Amino acid sequence: MIPLLLLAPVAGVILALLSRTPWQAALGTVVGAAGLLSGAVIQGMSPRVAAWGDLLRLDELGSYFLLIVAGVHFLCSVYAYGYFRRELEGGHIGPAKVRMYHVWTNLFVLSMVVVVCSHHLALQWVAVEATTLFSAPLIYLHGDRRGMEAAWKYLLICSVGIAFAFLGIIFLSRAAGDVPLTYTALPLAAKRLDPRFLRLAFLFFLVGYGTKMGLAPMHTWLPDAHSQAPAPSSAMLSGVLLNCALLSILRIAPAIPGAYASPLLILFGILSIAVPALLVAVQRDIKRLLAFSSIENMGIVVLGLGFGGAARPAALLHVLNHSVAKVLLFLVAGDLILRFGTQKIRQIRGILRESPLRGVLLFGGILAITGSPPFGAFWSEFGILVGGIAGGHMAVSLAYLVLLAVLFGSFLMYGSNMVFGEGVPRKLSGPELWCLLPACVLLLASLWLGLHVPAGLYKTLERLSTVVAFS
């Protein structure tokens, strides 16, 4: 099954290269994404398969992350058809660049599939580096100066981060001795590993892959990259790439003593929530605003993992909730930017009056990402708070609650101004099926996760929380 999962994005690359028009390339990506999603669903029913001499292995945790990657990729590929059609009609981009978008996107997805399927940590490191190399051209797709600066910044900072992660692998190898560096062997030999090198390995993993996750203070590449990439690429960067970096940290968690790892995760988690809380109020660009929200939500996940206990399954649930809500917002933001001709928040006004569906989607997405009921993120953020209090982290839990309230107020202000505010009357085009349908699906999914967390998903998250528990 794993080779078939890898074949889907490879087929998308080949079809994009052979295509004569952007529409043929888009069709190839949609077909490949549908194949990947189908394979991920089938694989999710019978986890734990291996391939290529056990270099690749897909367990239940990997299947969970793979389903998110495949689902987001499919919706973004449908959206991209309508998005780039508008871009071409507006003369903002040429057909050759649209074809290259599909080539790089499928390579990007291929590298993420390898990340979630990697059994050996060294192979996973290579795959994470590949995600950087394949996604950087997407940031520079329009070929302007700001895109080039953002792409170089992304490459440089994430390359430094991945170098730290490589040092982590070296320290882990020193700690493990003759134990294979696989995520199944290391937990079994945890008591035999050298604790000094093991702690150094986790610190370098956390800083290295934490840079890729956008954790503060290593987050500086993220607002620039997410604001310059095309909307479907921004959605993929935020909705699934950050998760892949998180998974790389989770793979060594069972071998690390909790007394050492938890305080580090709590520190990076609360810092990653505090930085956006301080900076969101001065943002003027809608995509940079959403990028800071990604930093905040990765901080929430890491904080929940640091709290442990009941907060751990809630943190894993928040991975899904964040992907759903953030991809929704990036897709709606991309559609609005095309229609208003600007990314400046103060120039995007009166959406509800001009286009009620877009207004509902944007405001619903903002409520969802800020953890408002009845959307799914409410339960995951609440579960992390309860877990923190139950674990005796009263001061950090209080700070977490205050910072969430600050962020909620800021996002509500921006959302209200854009959706309900008075602006220059303009004629927005009618509903664009290819752009708005994926956003509608995501809004309903977030609402569904808030009104009814499926029993099967809840049990799965409880099992996964034991898989990623510290030793």
Side-chain angles (χ1 to χ4, degrees):
M1 178 55 78
I2 292 178
L4 291 177
L5 293 172
L6 298 174
L7 187 61
V10 170
V13 173
I14 294 171
L15 290 172
L17 288 172
L18 296 178
S19 63
R20 295 183 177 180
T21 67
W23 321 126
Q24 291 174 354
L27 180 62
T29 299
V30 171
V31 171
L36 178 63
L37 181 58
S38 303
V41 170
I42 295 170
Q43 176 55 44
M45 299 175 186
S46 57
R48 297 184 183 86
V49 293
W52 295 357
D54 219 23
L55 271 178
L56 300 177
R57 176 179 290 202
L58 202 51
D59 61 353
E60 197 170 22
L61 181 64
S63 295
Y64 178 62
F65 279 79
L66 177 64
L67 276 168
I68 297 175
V69 171
V72 168
H73 175 44
F74 176 72
L75 291 173
C76 286
S77 66
V78 173
Y79 174 90
Y81 171 76
Y83 178 83
F84 283 110
R85 189 174 73 174
R86 293 281 182 181
E87 286 262 76
L88 285 164
E89 289 172 355
H92 305 302
I93 197 169
K97 287 189 175 180
V98 175
R99 285 200 298 274
M100 289 313 298
Y101 162 83
H102 292 286
V103 172
W104 289 117
T105 295
N106 281 292
L107 288 171
F108 179 37
V109 171
L110 174 65
S111 59
M112 288 191 289
V113 173
V114 176
V115 170
V116 300
C117 294
S118 295
H119 186 212
H120 199 286
L121 299 183
L123 176 63
Q124 189 172 53
W125 179 87
V126 172
V128 171
E129 174 64 1
T131 63
T132 305
L133 298 177
F134 292 146
S135 56
L138 295 170
I139 298 170
Y140 181 57
L141 190 70
H142 286 96
D144 56 13
R145 183 181 60 82
R146 295 178 65 183
M148 177 179 284
E149 289 176 356
W152 275 113
K153 191 174 182 180
Y154 172 61
L155 279 171
L156 288 173
I157 295 178
C158 287
S159 295
V160 172
I162 207 73
F164 272 81
F166 182 71
L167 289 173
I169 291 178
I170 292 175
F171 285 125
L172 190 62
S173 176
R174 180 67 179 80
D178 58 353
V179 177
L181 295 184
T182 60
Y183 67 74
T184 53
L186 288 170
L188 296 176
K191 293 183 179 177
R192 293 193 287 122
L193 305 182
D194 187 326
R196 298 168 301 169
F197 289 104
L198 194 59
R199 290 172 180 174
L200 276 174
F202 181 74
L203 179 61
F204 278 87
F205 263 64
L206 184 56
V207 173
Y209 290 129
T211 302
K212 189 82 174 182
M213 281 179 66
L215 294 180
M218 300 87 72
H219 65 281
T220 52
W221 64 270
L222 198 147
D224 292 335
H226 288 202
S227 63
Q228 294 305 312
S233 300
S234 301
M236 295 282 289
L237 288 169
S238 181
V240 288
L241 175 62
L242 306 185
N243 295 349
C244 290
L246 169 68
L247 178 63
S248 303
I249 297 173
L250 293 178
R251 287 304 193 189
I252 67 162
I256 309 299
Y260 175 75
S262 290
L264 283 174
L265 291 176
I266 291 172
L267 174 64
F268 277 103
I270 201 69
L271 186 62
S272 299
I273 303 170
V275 168
L278 292 172
L279 296 179
V280 156
V282 297
Q283 296 307 308
R284 300 293 178 263
D285 183 304
I286 186 171
K287 291 179 76 178
R288 288 182 69 87
L289 177 72
L290 299 180
F292 275 101
S293 171
S294 298
I295 299 167
E296 172 220 346
N297 281 279
M298 286 298 105
I300 291 172
V301 172
V302 168
L303 183 67
L305 294 170
F307 282 160
R312 200 177 296 122
L316 293 173
L317 177 60
H318 198 70
V319 171
L320 174 61
N321 283 325
H322 169 247
S323 294
V324 171
K326 187 54 56 63
V327 172
L328 158 65
L329 282 170
F330 269 117
L331 298 189
V332 176
D335 179 69
L336 291 173
I337 290 166
L338 285 179
R339 280 151 181 79
F340 281 84
T342 180
Q343 293 187 197
K344 294 181 179 177
I345 295 172
R346 66 182 179 182
Q347 294 181 11
I348 301 175
R349 289 287 189 274
I351 301 170
L352 191 66
R353 183 183 64 250
E354 304 295 339
S355 176
L357 178 58
R358 292 184 176 95
V360 169
L361 289 171
L362 181 64
F363 201 71
I366 286 175
L367 291 177
I369 202 62
T370 52
S372 307
F375 295 98
F378 170 77
W379 292 113
S380 50
E381 292 185 2
F382 181 71
I384 291 170
L385 176 67
V386 171
I389 294 172
H393 305 284
M394 292 300 296
V396 180
S397 299
L398 180 60
Y400 165 66
L401 192 60
V402 171
L403 291 171
L404 288 187
V406 171
L407 285 158
F408 174 76
S410 298
F411 273 88
L412 193 64
M413 176 192 70
Y414 285 123
S416 299
N417 289 339
M418 286 187 286
V419 175
F420 306 108
E422 292 293 330
V424 177
R426 65 181 66 223
K427 180 67 176 177
L428 297 183
S429 61
E432 169 61 68
L433 177 67
W434 299 105
C435 287
L436 297 185
L437 183 60
C440 291
V441 170
L442 289 163
L443 184 65
L444 292 174
S446 182
L447 194 59
W448 179 56
L449 288 169
L451 294 175
H452 172 68
V453 178
L457 174 61
Y458 185 75
K459 290 179 180 177
T460 299
L461 293 174
E462 282 194 320
R463 285 196 302 273
L464 295 182
S465 69
T466 62
V467 172
V468 301
F470 297 109
S471 64

